[in-house]
Every structure is written in C-alpha cells, then in structure tokens.
Amino acid sequence: MLYLSALCGGTWGDYYETVEGEKLFFCCNNCAKAFINIINEAKKRFNLNKIDYIELRGNFYRGRNIEVKNGENSHKFYIKLSDDGDITEFKEID
C-alpha cells in the first residue's frame, strides 16, 4: 500500500493522481510526475512488477534516499529530480 501526502511536503493544492491503483494527493502535477517517475524507475531497475511500500527521506535540494519494498524484497537508492519532475541522478545504496 502506497501512501503519500505531497512529495514536497506541501499541504496546499488539490491535485490527485492514481498510482499503483491508489488515488494519491499531491500539491501539483510536477510532484505527481516526480513520484510516478520514481515508482517507474524503481520498477524498471529492480525488475519489480509492483511496489507494495515506498519510503522517501530528504528534499528537493539535497535529493532523496528512497526504499521500495515488494513482498520480502527491499531496494534502496538515492535520487535527484529536476523542477519538472524528471530524474537527473540515480544511485543504488547498499
């Protein structure tokens, strides 16, 4: 189950997007795009058919450390995003 109340931490806005079958709140379309890009990149890089859980730590300026889980499998990575929500840096974390 994914849960997110705005990727940037904002509580303003009224933008919703369905991700992995769940309707999630985002402050804007750029944060929704960024989150979807993170999900899709993790699925692609780690050969996952779905993500059961995601934890994001950090912020736009420093980048984010992310952990995704599918069943018993866990993967950690660092990511930076552009203002438009595109991935500019991706690095696996041990």
Side-chain angles (χ1 to χ4, degrees):
M1 173 179 183
L2 300 173
Y3 175 76
L4 186 72
S5 59
L7 180 65
C8 68
T11 56
W12 55 272
D14 190 27
Y15 190 88
Y16 290 86
E17 187 78 41
T18 300
V19 182
E20 298 286 295
E22 294 186 42
K23 187 175 181 180
L24 302 176
F25 165 77
F26 297 92
C27 62
C28 66
N29 65 324
N30 285 343
C31 282
K33 178 184 174 185
F35 188 71
I36 291 167
N37 284 341
I38 291 168
I39 295 290
N40 289 338
E41 189 68 19
K43 288 168 69 175
K44 181 178 89 177
R45 291 204 185 225
F46 303 116
N47 196 27
L48 302 172
N49 60 351
K50 71 176 211 155
I51 292 175
D52 297 321
Y53 170 84
I54 184 168
E55 181 177 338
L56 299 93
R57 293 178 187 229
N59 61 41
F60 175 78
Y61 300 102
R62 291 188 343 238
R64 292 178 173 86
N65 289 322
I66 300 173
E67 179 178 13
V68 295
K69 293 182 181 179
N70 177 291
E72 297 293 318
N73 298 319
S74 173
H75 304 279
K76 296 178 182 180
F77 55 96
Y78 168 84
I79 204 162
K80 283 200 86 162
L81 301 160
S82 71
D83 290 341
D84 296 328
D86 294 319
I87 296 169
T88 60
E89 189 176 340
F90 184 102
K91 183 172 78 172
E92 288 187 46
I93 300 173
D94 294 332

